[in-house]
Amino acid sequence: MFVYLSKKIAIPNGIKLKCVSWNSEQGWIACGGDNGLLKVLKLEAPTAVADNKEGKAATAASNLTMNQTLEGHNGAVMVVNWNENYRKLTTSDQYGLIIVWMLHKGMWFEEMINNRNKSVVRDMKWTSDGQKICIVYEDGAVIVGSVDGNRLWGKELALTLALVEWSPDGRMILFCTVQGEAHLYDCNGNAITKLPLFCMEGSAGNVNIIGVDWYDGLEGYSDPNAPTLALGLDNGRVQLMRGESDEKAVLIITSLRTTWIKWNTSGTVLAVAGSQVTSDGRESSMVQFYSNIGQHLRTLRVPGIGINALSWEGGGLRIALAVDSYIYFANIRPDYKWGYFGGTLVYAFNKPDRAEHCVMFWDTETNDRYAKYVKKLLAIRACKEYCVLATKGEEPGQYILILCNAIGSPVDSKYIEVEPVMMAMTQYHVIVCSEELVYIWQYRTPVSKLTSVDTDISASVRRKDGRERVFHIDDQQIAEENITNVAEKTRAGSLTTQDAACSVTASDKTLLIGRESGIVNHYSLPHIIFEKQHILRCRPQVMALNCTSTRMSIIDINSVLSFYDFTAHKEDGTEGEHLPLERKDAWGMCWSNDNPELFAIMEKTRMYIFRGMEPEEPVLSNGFICEFSDLQIRAVLLDDVMRSPDAPDKDYFIDFETKSLRDTRHILANCQIADAYQFIEDNSHLRLWRILAEHALEKLDFPIADKAFVRCADYQGIQFVKRLQLLDDKAKQNAEVAAYFKRFDEAEAIYRDIDRMDLAIEMRMRLGDWFKVEKLAQGGGADDTLLTMAWNKIGEYYSDRQKWSKAVAYYAQAKNTEQLVECFYILEDYTGLEKLINTLPDHHNHLANIGCKFMSVGLCAQAVTAFLKGGDVKAAIDCCVLLNQWNQAVELAEKNNFQQIEAVLSKYANYLLEKEKPLQAIELYRKANHHTEAAKLLAKMAAEAAEQKVHPLRVKKLYTLAALEIERFRSRMMGTDTDTKTMDPGYATRMTAAQTLNNLMTLDAADSDKTNNMENAWHGAEAYHFWILAHQQLYASSFDAACRTALLLSEFEDVLEPMDIYCFQALTCLN
């Protein structure tokens, strides 16, 4: 991160400030000081989106939009605190007077006043939801009240209180005493425990707690296990805890005389304010910034003596400091986790309801966004086509590298044991550095997109040995040692260093690792060979290489930018020189990827573009540089993106042009083309030659255009110029030039003017603009063949976009039956599909396809019609069989002499019987008019049911159904299906007689088959009818009738059990 002072506001009459508080929601700043001073200020809102046309981005505005002095306090105002949810301000002075202020019509007025008149208020805090306030007095009195002014409870503690803080959930209160103790109570005032203060250990003399801050979690957590409770002592020690019971607190020794501590609004950065005595005996005020794991990030030196208070702006981009009689404002450039590759911006942020990081992949061209949730994200790097996410694994000491494409899909991953303190990425390598180890992963090669997809056996062997490499930073002979062995040695402590790594950068052929002493290790890639060491005059924090790896930029820990030239020769014969050029307050830098002399740097709120070592005029910008290519810089306003990370705006991207590019445009617009040629010759760049070539084409200056295309190595452009020179008409040349610049309507208008509709149509066909082709063809510019082609292409256009109804209209005009069938089928427009059958001639090759479509949805009649019209009787019969329409299948088979139907029918029936589905088999035979087979199965089912002697009525019904099937068979055999109305009477008589004789012979054959039981079809039904009737009569006490009926049962001994018959007769006779 980078911090710099941006504004200073003086308090009138030199009144010294005691406190300051910044409302993170609405932006009001309250400051209190001596003599009852209380002011509410508000800075002008920053400009969110840059003016892309001018190429400038406004910095955060700092003009005051509110400056109100609040009257009410007489003594020095000691405490100011905001209730952000209810827009209230609570203040207290040295005499114990408490005032609650409210906003009304843009002005602040007193709402409530309270004065205990016994002791001074030392601190007061609102809960995170703004419902309760806790006020502590120096004499130990505690008052907890609600937002509407009601007192909830009060208590006198036997403590000399100094500070108070609520837990994030509002269930606990932490009290700090003057004696340096921290006591935890519940929200009702009951003591819970005394917090262990490990930072007190080894402290000499009286040590006071000067600050306590408990992050409320309203903006989510960067790490669920990160500390959230901070306690600061006046001796410069700070204790960070993960909760009230954390026994492994993080301890920070700042070496300051601390006066204030405060988390930023996201709980990721802790600001520690204080002072330090310099070597010359002067006291210097400063603010030190630490991460939530205790890592030092940056130190900000502040003029004046003593920082009495500090407060963060909402979003954490600015901080306000109360120093003497001034309010200093410092701007902060956070270290966002982000990257830019191939037009995709990838960035990470936290959501309050998720423990993981949300990583957003934003395609800036299409505005598509893909969100991925990643646990324990540490860093993001990107290059060319891929980005890599570094995360912490589940096992201790385990880390994961995830290689992702532009939509966030993982394409490869590696588990490593080297902590990714520093990372770099090239189009072939990912480099990870801890303080002593370097891990290199070659994730792709110039001949393969990814090493993980190599299929060759020898390639897999090389990948195992050479695609990953780990070595110690002190090693100059890099051996192919196993990765696990190096990691184990490091954990065992046998591999340590006295000069830790602090920065890393790489290009396709060079790897540089900066060390704390200022030494830079130089390695060659891809073979990872140690080349030499370079000595810098500073400790590098950020390094970058130009596109030819001949120069390196360095930003040190004091934000000073300098350069190192690898090709410079010193007097002693050595190569490499640290150049004298330095730029202060630099926080960002990017080299041009196509010119080793061009680079851009960010200094505070200005962007400078350098050619060589000469800067151009700066432009105002808050943007983070994404890339520098083709004399154009693309930057993104990440601060604005992070304000609404789920819905970023394309306007957050800004493009800046270099001076040479702007001057070239100006010369071309106002001077002769020869002057422009000379200027570009002096400032040669492919982008400039391309602009000159395009301008010459517009002017039809083909010699200049040809030279410019040659200079920018554009072979297609050279060929285009030659083709233009062959044209005999200037209008045609203008039309071709307009088409080259994608001004197709203009080109079409030129072709129309010269009455060359054929050329206009040809141009539209090359573009694939078939709507225009249709329009031009209908206007008389083409024949019916071309119009049909246009209709087909438009139909394909709508089909590709699944707009089937519109596709049908165009396919119908083109008479494209094949595509109409597909569209009707997808639309489920079976009526239209059926009508299509009638429009096709017999034996058309698409009728079979239509029949298959109908068959797939169970429409048997329509499918049979299509198959029969197509001349495929077998397909029609197969359709009936598949859809279980056996009567129609048999009818078609008989009509068309298809003998195989009986075998198929029998096979399917046996299959159903094997699956114990007799009813389905019976129904199959009935539909196929095989009544005798159905009767056999029914009789068999009746016999099986009779053996169970449970449901006699069911048995009777089954025998009845079997008898009915026999009757149907007889009636069918005695009837005639031949239509004799249209025949000759004599011939009709002979045909009827022949059919009747055939049916009688079939019936006689069936009667002779004893298994059919044709003569006694009703015998079984009669038996069970009399059996049931006799029982009903017996139960109804009609003994005489029951006896008579029972005697009839003697005729059915072949159906009923004789024992049952005669026992029942005896029973009826006995009664």
Side-chain angles (χ1 to χ4, degrees), residues 713-725:
D714 188 346
Y715 178 76
Q716 288 79 10
I718 297 170
Q719 295 300 314
F720 179 67
V721 171
K722 290 181 179 180
R723 192 168 67 250
L724 286 179
Q725 290 175 328

Side-chain angles (χ1 to χ4, degrees), residues 499-634:
D499 189 6
C502 58
S503 61
V504 62
T505 187
S507 65
D508 294 343
K509 58 183 180 180
T510 302
L511 169 63
L512 300 174
I513 300 175
R515 309 178 72 168
E516 292 180 350
S517 63
I519 294 175
V520 176
N521 287 4
H522 188 140
Y523 304 87
S524 64
L525 293 177
H527 302 294
I528 317 176
I529 300 173
F530 179 81
E531 299 287 345
K532 63 186 75 172
Q533 286 187 337
H534 308 281
I535 301 177
L536 307 179
R537 58 174 178 265
C538 60
R539 172 182 170 178
Q541 187 177 36
V542 179
M543 300 188 302
L545 281 165
N546 66 356
C547 60
T548 58
S549 301
T550 56
R551 281 190 180 181
M552 171 180 64
S553 63
I554 308 105
I555 300 179
D556 64 16
I557 58 174
N558 296 315
S559 300
V560 176
L561 173 68
S562 58
F563 297 88
Y564 193 92
D565 188 351
F566 298 116
T567 60
H569 294 276
K570 296 182 181 179
E571 295 179 357
D572 57 1
T574 59
E575 291 186 355
E577 179 184 2
H578 202 158
L579 302 180
L581 175 66
E582 289 187 349
R583 306 285 298 194
K584 296 181 179 180
D585 296 322
W587 57 272
M589 190 273 175
C590 182
W591 289 94
S592 172
N593 59 17
D594 51 21
N595 190 326
E597 297 294 321
L598 287 176
F599 59 90
I601 64 173
M602 299 297 303
E603 294 182 4
K604 292 186 176 180
T605 57
R606 287 178 172 81
M607 176 189 291
Y608 290 87
I609 301 173
F610 281 74
R611 178 180 287 273
M613 294 297 160
E614 297 298 324
E616 298 178 4
E617 289 295 322
V619 292
L620 294 177
S621 175
N622 271 337
F624 288 72
I625 301 175
C626 297
E627 64 176 357
F628 189 176
S629 177
D630 268 354
L631 303 179
Q632 187 167 294
I633 300 169
R634 166 154 277 208

Side-chain angles (χ1 to χ4, degrees), residues 81-127:
N81 213 305
W82 288 102
N83 185 334
E84 297 172 352
N85 290 349
Y86 292 91
R87 299 192 177 190
K88 295 179 183 294
L89 173 64
T90 310
T91 61
S92 175
D93 60 24
Q94 68 184 94
Y95 302 122
L97 176 64
I98 301 173
I99 303 179
V100 179
W101 307 83
M102 61 175 290
L103 185 68
H104 180 67
K105 294 183 179 180
M107 299 293 289
W108 292 94
F109 297 94
E110 294 178 359
E111 182 184 20
M112 289 180 282
I113 297 179
N114 180 45
N115 196 345
R116 186 164 165 265
N117 293 321
K118 289 185 178 181
S119 180
V120 61
V121 175
R122 295 302 302 267
D123 198 8
M124 52 187 175
K125 293 286 179 62
W126 291 94
T127 55

